[in-house]
Amino acid sequence: MQTSCHEVRFTLPSIEVAGKAWGDPQGLPLIALHGWLDNAGSFDRIAPLLENVHLVALDLPGHGLSGHLPAGGYSLWQQAATVLQVAEELGWQRFALLGHSMGAIITGIIAGSVPERITAAAMIDGLLPFTSEAEDAPRNMARFFEASLAAGEKRKPVYDSVEKAVSARVLGGTTPISRDAASLLVERGLMPAHGGWTWRTDPQLMLPSPLRFTNSHAAAFIEAIRSPACLILANQGVMHRHPHVLEQIVRFEHIQQHRLEGGHHLHLEQAAPEVATILDSFYRALA
């Protein structure tokens, strides 16, 4: 059990990326990717429970302590490219992945695109991105343009205490989350502002996607995964809001699938030990 962690930082060609690292540098190289609007604190509960891994949890660009990208810079494939740049900085030609939600989607994209570099891919309550078909592209792009033009008029909220920011995260999130879990994310997600606290997160991340994969695109990445793969689904998680997605996931027979009681952030809540047990067994099997 690796209980201690330390901060890491990577100077990439276009951005500074921060993160947290646990474990023995001689252990299995493992990069962990958090969900949308979360940060590396997403893995604080399970990382110490994983044996024989060198886990590096990133703050993806625009999140946590990492830098922000220029206008229009965020996409799933851009985030995936950043992960590969970090792997280069670490000197990891081959490595494993662990992703939650958006991070799980990015994990699938990387594992399907460069399967020769990925030794294993584990995903928590996430696999396929939101998709749309070709005929929807003009409307989606128009929504992005409209929101981008209006973004300059918006201001980040300022809270007079960290506790109020935690409450805002609990009440205002897109998925239910416990106060304890929210506290771990908020700790890394705030910065001082105007005598109070505001979010570090890049507001651009709130913009609608200008371009989405089609269903066929999304499925092709998952079908192209060649490494051992594992998916942990929360019985009260985000995937269960979309039964048609669950039906599609069942067809990916090359992915181990586990279902646990809990919400979308089950790895930060009561189910964390169960999640860690599944992941520990999954990564140990690689040896």
Side-chain angles (χ1 to χ4, degrees), residues 102-228:
M102 179 186 74
I105 294 168
I106 295 168
T107 291
I109 291 172
I110 296 172
S113 299
V114 289
E116 70 281 0
R117 297 199 61 178
I118 306 304
T119 57
M123 293 150 283
I124 302 172
D125 213 45
L127 183 65
L128 298 169
F130 290 115
T131 60
S132 62
E133 296 310 308
E135 59 268 24
D136 300 321
R139 182 171 65 251
N140 291 337
M141 191 67 72
R143 290 175 60 240
F144 171 75
F145 290 150
E146 181 180 1
S148 297
L149 292 172
E153 302 171 6
K154 297 181 180 179
R155 296 291 179 266
K156 290 183 179 181
V158 176
Y159 307 97
D160 58 20
S161 70
V162 172
E163 290 72 21
K164 288 185 178 178
V166 171
S167 296
R169 180 68 174 83
V170 171
L171 297 173
T174 56
T175 57
I177 187 171
S178 69
R179 190 172 188 87
D180 285 346
S183 295
L184 290 174
L185 298 173
V186 167
E187 179 181 336
R188 197 174 181 86
L190 289 178
M191 63 181 180
H194 308 294
W197 300 90
T198 193
W199 304 113
R200 291 182 182 273
T201 310
D202 190 341
Q204 284 194 90
L205 292 165
M206 303 294 290
L207 297 176
S209 299
L211 191 64
R212 289 179 172 177
F213 293 139
T214 66
N215 287 324
S216 296
H217 284 143
F221 286 101
I222 306 307
E223 290 166 354
I225 295 174
R226 297 292 175 263
S227 68

Side-chain angles (χ1 to χ4, degrees), residues 29-47:
L30 174 60
I31 296 179
L33 309 173
H34 59 78
W36 180 62
L37 303 184
D38 291 346
N39 54 59
S42 186
F43 301 97
D44 281 3
R45 292 264 166 84
I46 61 173

Side-chain angles (χ1 to χ4, degrees), residues 10 22 32 36 53 61 65 69 100 136 157 167 190 192 242 251 261 287:
F10 305 94
W22 287 263
W36 180 62
V53 300
L65 305 181
L69 290 172
H100 169 245
D136 300 321
S167 296
L190 289 178
H242 308 281
R251 300 192 185 102
E261 286 300 314

